[in-house]
Amino acid sequence: MVGQGLNSGTSVFIAHMGGSAAFAGVLAAVFSAAAAAARIVCGPLVDRAGRLRVMVGGAALLLAGTLVPAVSSNDAVFVVCRIVQGVGFSAATTASATAAADVLPLSRLGEGIGYYGLGQALAMSVGPALALFLVNTDPAANLYLGLAVIAALGLVLAALCRYERNPSRLPATAAYRRLHEEHRELERGSARGGHATDPCAARVADNRQARSSVPKPSARGLGRLFELSALPGALPMVVLSPAFGFGIFFVGLYGTSLGVANPGLFYTLSALSMIAVRLKSKSFMDRVASIKICTASTACGLAGFLLLFVAGSSDLAYYAAGILYGVCLGVSMPLNQAVAVKNTPAERWGAANALYLLASDVGIGVSSIVWGLVNDAAGFPATICCVMGCILAAWVVAWFSYPSTRREHKKA
């Protein structure tokens, strides 16, 4: 919520302070660049230093970067704060995504990541609306004070994530517990117990030896920074996320241009549909082939944006589109993350989540510029057609990249 709120509210705050749209665009680019650069470092760091340290450190940076603009409106301070916000946001979300996968029982991994994905999806829907409300109060700096309160809550919750200290309390099939038990058993059964000084590094090294049937992650080039075996989930996401970027940045403006009575209701309905589909995820997330779930999600997304395309002056069509958009968002984000994680050795989940989240960041960040240019040149109808093209292209990428799809194709 803090990250999404900062992205949507900062430009409005700059306008209230008499700043230019160009400076607001620079700040958005600075945040995106800092977040993307931090993903490169945070993925391996999560695997080496542990989830708690990175999560707490990221939450603390996000809190500091959010609080300072409330008391200083200097341009240079804003730029520095956007860098700090981007780094903190990347660190906290990469570590929390990995922690969510760590603690889940193996048989419910997809379902559990779905609930984690619900948090992401709700933040994308609720965060911008909350930020716009806060920034339009008096004074506008309430935007940063309000988001700082949420950031402080995030820091407290991150500090309570202490499962790494007592893995035996996790479910028996949880990945982190299995890694810990394998390491402990190997220490007892061999004479090389003191070769590593870092507990997390020792656990990872011993687990790689114990699980010889699992392909070893790349040790050179990009493999040191990202887990390339997570690409089957990251590739569809980088193609699909521009569609969500349109929802974040432009659906409200589109509704206003149509004369919809309450454009913000689109986000409320999408949030409710996300909750509903996540509560039903147990019945399909780990039991149905990933490509079939992706197909249903794609159909909902295409139908939702088709309704937006033909909405005209119909408020009902605009609101119905929000429901279908919420289903697509609430299913596809955790689905692709689950594919990325399941296709990756557990000791490299930090790097895998970094790659997946970077794909989402890049797609949403680029779309904020591209859709604006397309809309200025050709109008909303043309932009919506491009968005639908992204959704369909993401399904094609998923068809060829999902592991289960390849196996079924070979059998056929």
Side-chain angles (χ1 to χ4, degrees), residues 73-163:
S73 57
N74 181 274
D75 288 355
V77 171
F78 261 104
V79 172
V80 172
C81 286
R82 287 300 272 168
I83 294 174
V84 174
Q85 291 165 8
V87 173
F89 176 77
S90 285
T93 53
T94 301
S96 63
T98 308
D102 274 346
V103 302
L104 293 167
L106 184 61
S107 62
R108 302 181 69 184
L109 186 62
E111 179 191 356
I113 289 178
Y115 286 116
Y116 174 81
L118 173 62
Q120 294 175 299
L122 287 176
M124 293 172 67
S125 295
V126 178
L130 175 63
L132 292 177
F133 168 77
L134 291 172
V135 78
N136 286 307
T137 59
D138 188 20
N142 287 336
L143 167 70
Y144 296 104
L145 292 175
L147 293 179
V149 171
I150 301 176
L153 176 60
L155 176 59
V156 172
L157 294 175
L160 296 176
C161 184
R162 298 176 176 270
Y163 68 91

Side-chain angles (χ1 to χ4, degrees), residues 16-311:
H16 283 325
M17 296 296 103
S20 66
F23 181 60
V26 169
L27 292 179
V30 165
F31 178 91
S32 298
R39 296 277 186 217
I40 299 174
V41 177
C42 290
L45 186 62
V46 166
D47 290 324
R48 291 196 302 267
R51 287 56 160 153
L52 175 63
R53 293 178 181 177
V54 178
M55 200 186 314
V56 170
L61 285 175
L62 188 58
L63 173 59
T66 304
L67 190 58
V68 171
V71 296
S72 175
S73 57
N74 181 274
D75 288 355
V77 171
F78 261 104
V79 172
V80 172
C81 286
R82 287 300 272 168
I83 294 174
V84 174
Q85 291 165 8
V87 173
F89 176 77
S90 285
T93 53
T94 301
S96 63
T98 308
D102 274 346
V103 302
L104 293 167
L106 184 61
S107 62
R108 302 181 69 184
L109 186 62
E111 179 191 356
I113 289 178
Y115 286 116
Y116 174 81
L118 173 62
Q120 294 175 299
L122 287 176
M124 293 172 67
S125 295
V126 178
L130 175 63
L132 292 177
F133 168 77
L134 291 172
V135 78
N136 286 307
T137 59
D138 188 20
N142 287 336
L143 167 70
Y144 296 104
L145 292 175
L147 293 179
V149 171
I150 301 176
L153 176 60
L155 176 59
V156 172
L157 294 175
L160 296 176
C161 184
R162 298 176 176 270
Y163 68 91
E164 292 169 288
R165 298 184 180 183
N166 193 0
S168 61
R169 297 183 63 183
L170 299 177
T173 59
Y176 195 88
R177 176 173 176 175
R178 288 186 290 116
L179 291 172
H180 173 78
E181 291 175 348
E182 287 172 358
H183 174 225
R184 185 176 58 186
E185 291 173 2
L186 286 171
E187 276 190 331
R188 292 175 179 175
S190 66
R192 54 178 185 80
H195 68 286
T197 57
D198 182 80
C200 188
R203 186 188 71 244
V204 171
D206 289 343
N207 183 68
R208 287 178 181 168
Q209 294 180 12
R211 299 167 65 146
S212 57
S213 61
V214 177
K216 294 183 179 180
S218 304
R220 298 180 181 178
L222 289 176
R224 295 181 178 180
L225 304 174
F226 300 114
E227 180 49 53
L228 300 183
S229 60
L231 282 173
L235 289 177
M237 196 61 204
V238 76
V239 181
L240 180 62
S241 54
F244 301 146
F246 180 86
I248 295 170
F249 297 115
F250 295 103
V251 163
L253 178 61
Y254 178 58
T256 301
S257 70
L258 294 177
V260 174
N262 183 8
L265 187 57
F266 177 95
Y267 297 103
T268 302
L269 293 172
S270 68
L272 291 174
S273 66
M274 278 183 258
I275 293 173
V277 75
R278 291 279 27 97
L279 292 177
K280 298 294 292 183
S281 65
K282 184 177 181 179
S283 62
F284 62 85
M285 188 60 79
D286 292 298
R287 302 180 182 182
V288 180
S290 297
I291 191 60
K292 293 183 179 180
I293 302 175
C294 181
T295 301
S297 173
T298 299
C300 289
L302 291 173
F305 279 99
L306 182 61
L307 281 175
L308 283 179
F309 183 82
V310 302

